[in-house]
């Protein structure tokens, strides 16, 4: 079994090496006979040293000139050679327990894919409340967070990958498609809960509560327009680091 780990990255020189190191350490802690993996970093038109650092760390680097998260993930999947795809954000850290659970899920042959709950350290009270709400929705509705999506490669390609009409929430769209694909074949989609993905709280640190609230309500009241417009999603696309 071969796993392709795809990391979309835009100006991530501060965090990319931590992400890559977490992958290496987590995989090393879960030796499996016949298991191989590759790491693909998609440089999504970065202007910093993201690509250089990833190359030096041994990752395969792919360039995607159009700055869009779903498009970057798809670009990595195009060159992937694995039976399974694992998409993880560059500001996130895998851990050995999670990787162990992912490998068990794959080996069971009962699943089309999975997501994971997340842990963001040092959040303010309202940030924790939002995270708890998302966790409940994710587990109940089986929606993967974009920070981590794992799926069979054949399923990913059959459903068309991430929807490039969307500039956010494309992971929810993909979750729905994968669940439908899996049901036809007696396969399940799940959310892992035992070992949360640690991901950066930087958006809460870089943006004010007012900015985040305006973004949230803009999407809530006009989801179709907001999710299809990069200009209406500055927290994802204004490049603040």
């Amino acid at each position: 079994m071969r796993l392709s780990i795809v990391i979309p990255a835009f100006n991530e020189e501060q965090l990319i090496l931590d992400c890559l190191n977490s992958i290496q350490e987590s995989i090393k802690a879960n030796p499996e006979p016949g298991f191989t993996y590759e790491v693909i970093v998609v440089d999504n038109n970065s202007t910093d040293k993201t690509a250089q650092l990833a190359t030096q760390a041994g990752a395969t680097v792919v360039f995607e000139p159009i700055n869009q998260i779903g498009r970057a993930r798809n670009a990595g999947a195009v060159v992937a050679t694995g039976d399974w795809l694992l998409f993880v954000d560059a500001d996130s850290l895998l851990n050995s327990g999670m990787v162990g659970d992912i490998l068990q899920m794959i080996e069971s042959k009962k699943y089309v894919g999975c997501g994971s709950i997340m842990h963001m350290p040092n959040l303010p009270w309202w940030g924790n409340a939002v995270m708890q709400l998302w966790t409940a929705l994710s587990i109940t509705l089986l929606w993967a967070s974009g920070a981590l999506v794992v799926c069979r490669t054949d399923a990913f390609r059959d459903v068309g990958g991430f929807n490039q009409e969307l500039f956010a929430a494309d992971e929810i769209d993909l979750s729905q498609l994968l669940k439908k694909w899996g049901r036809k074949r007696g396969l399940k989609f799940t959310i892992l809960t035992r070992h949360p993905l640690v991901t950066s709280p930087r958006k809460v640190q870089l943006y004010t509560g007012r900015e985040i609230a305006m973004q949230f309500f803009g999407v809530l009241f006009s989801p179709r327009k907001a999710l299809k417009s990069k200009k209406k999603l500055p927290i994802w696309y204004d490049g603040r680091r």
Side-chain angles (χ1 to χ4, degrees):
M1 185 264 290
R2 184 166 174 81
L3 179 66
S4 295
I5 301 172
V6 178
I7 308 168
F10 170 65
N11 286 349
E12 294 288 4
E13 65 178 5
Q14 297 180 41
L15 298 175
I16 189 64
L17 290 182
D18 289 338
C19 178
L20 292 172
N21 288 336
S22 77
I23 292 169
Q24 185 178 24
E25 292 171 3
S26 298
I27 296 290
K28 186 177 180 180
N30 288 278
E32 293 282 347
F35 170 66
T36 61
Y37 75 101
E38 63 182 347
V39 179
I40 302 166
V41 172
V42 183
D43 173 18
N44 199 193
N45 207 25
S46 299
T47 57
D48 64 3
K49 296 180 180 179
T50 295
Q52 179 183 342
L53 292 172
T55 299
Q56 291 173 351
T60 298
V61 176
V62 176
F63 180 69
E64 169 51 56
I66 299 176
N67 189 219
Q68 182 184 9
I69 299 168
R71 188 179 294 268
R73 292 172 179 145
N74 286 341
V78 166
V79 303
T81 62
D83 311 294
W84 283 74
L85 299 167
L86 188 159
F87 299 93
V88 61
D89 283 355
D91 65 346
S92 300
L93 303 173
L94 295 188
N95 60 76
S96 59
M98 170 185 288
V99 170
D101 287 347
I102 290 170
L103 294 180
Q104 287 181 16
M105 177 205 69
I106 292 173
E107 290 169 354
S108 75
K109 299 183 180 180
K110 296 179 180 179
Y111 296 88
V112 62
C114 72
S116 171
I117 64 171
M118 296 183 294
H119 170 64
M120 287 187 184
N122 304 316
L123 288 177
W125 69 266
W126 58 267
N128 278 316
V130 171
M131 182 58 63
Q132 290 174 9
L133 174 61
W134 165 253
T135 298
L137 289 173
S138 176
I139 294 172
T140 303
L141 301 176
L142 298 179
W143 286 350
S145 160
L148 183 90
V149 182
V150 183
C151 65
R152 286 173 46 154
T153 302
D154 57 349
F156 181 84
R157 291 175 177 162
D158 282 352
V159 302
F162 290 94
N163 186 343
Q164 293 182 182
E165 291 185 357
L166 301 176
F167 285 86
D170 50 324
E171 67 275 12
I172 295 176
D173 178 75
L174 180 63
S175 297
Q176 297 292 88
L177 294 174
L178 290 173
K179 285 188 288 184
K180 184 177 180 180
W181 189 95
R183 280 195 297 270
K184 293 179 179 178
R185 295 160 177 83
L187 300 172
K188 297 178 287 186
F189 187 87
T190 190
I191 303 298
L192 303 178
T193 60
R194 293 202 306 169
H195 305 282
L197 178 77
V198 177
T199 193
S200 170
R202 64 182 175 185
K203 284 186 172 60
V204 173
Q205 297 167 351
L206 292 171
Y207 297 88
T208 65
R210 181 175 181 275
E211 288 175 309
I212 293 173
M214 288 179 64
Q215 176 86 91
F216 173 78
F217 287 113
V219 172
L220 182 65
F221 291 121
S222 185
R224 290 186 179 182
K225 289 184 179 180
L227 295 175
K228 292 185 177 183
S229 172
K230 186 187 298 186
K231 292 181 180 180
K232 295 182 182 297
L233 299 167
I235 290 177
W236 276 273
Y237 289 101
D238 70 0
R240 199 179 302 184
R241 291 288 184 270

